[in-house]
Amino acid sequence: MRLHIEGKYTGLAPHLLGWIAERLKALNTPDDDIVEAWVTLMQQKRQEVARVQLQVAGKLLQVTQRGATPDAAIDAALQMVQGALHEVRATRHLRAAMPMAKGAAVSTYAASAARQS
């Protein structure tokens, strides 16, 4: 996983860099499917704003959260992206568990059309 962490209009404390990298590594550990991650911290209207973007198997997950402190904003964003990542993985695992036979959709449609006649 390629990781990009930046601060716009604000500085990033060294402890935050390590903490973000650890959290993203923990998110990626079970499936190892996160290709690239961008974490941007900025300050807007006296609030800290954290944006987390994950490139996962052809999908781009993006979450933006606000907080009173940089830690709170980043933690909230990582929690939300964790939920979105869980949904993407669950959908992928469900599709993989239910293989479709070739032409199954066509025969199902033909069977339902025959019943309506």
Side-chain angles (χ1 to χ4, degrees), residues 53-106:
Q53 296 175 320
L54 298 180
Q55 181 70 41
V56 181
K59 291 189 179 273
L60 180 65
L61 304 177
Q62 180 175 321
V63 173
T64 303
Q65 288 293 306
R66 296 178 183 274
T69 65
D71 295 25
I74 291 171
D75 187 48
L78 288 173
Q79 285 181 10
M80 285 200 69
V81 83
Q82 181 178 3
L85 185 60
H86 177 72
E87 289 177 18
V88 167
R89 287 176 176 164
T91 302
R92 184 177 349 124
H93 292 307
L94 183 64
R95 286 183 183 166
M98 296 181 356
M100 274 193 138
K102 258 187 170 174
V106 174

Side-chain angles (χ1 to χ4, degrees), residues 4-53:
H4 309 276
I5 303 173
E6 68 175 337
K8 288 187 176 180
Y9 316 115
T10 186
L12 281 170
H15 78 279
L16 278 178
L17 297 173
W19 181 66
I20 292 168
E22 286 175 18
R23 289 280 304 264
L24 288 171
K25 184 178 177 184
L27 280 177
N28 196 28
T29 299
D31 292 305
D32 197 28
D33 57 351
I34 300 175
V35 177
E36 199 159 4
W38 297 269
V39 179
T40 306
L41 182 68
M42 57 193 113
Q43 194 170 33
Q44 292 178 346
K45 298 181 183 177
R46 298 183 186 183
Q47 281 189 326
E48 300 295 331
V49 178
R51 176 176 295 134
V52 177
Q53 296 175 320

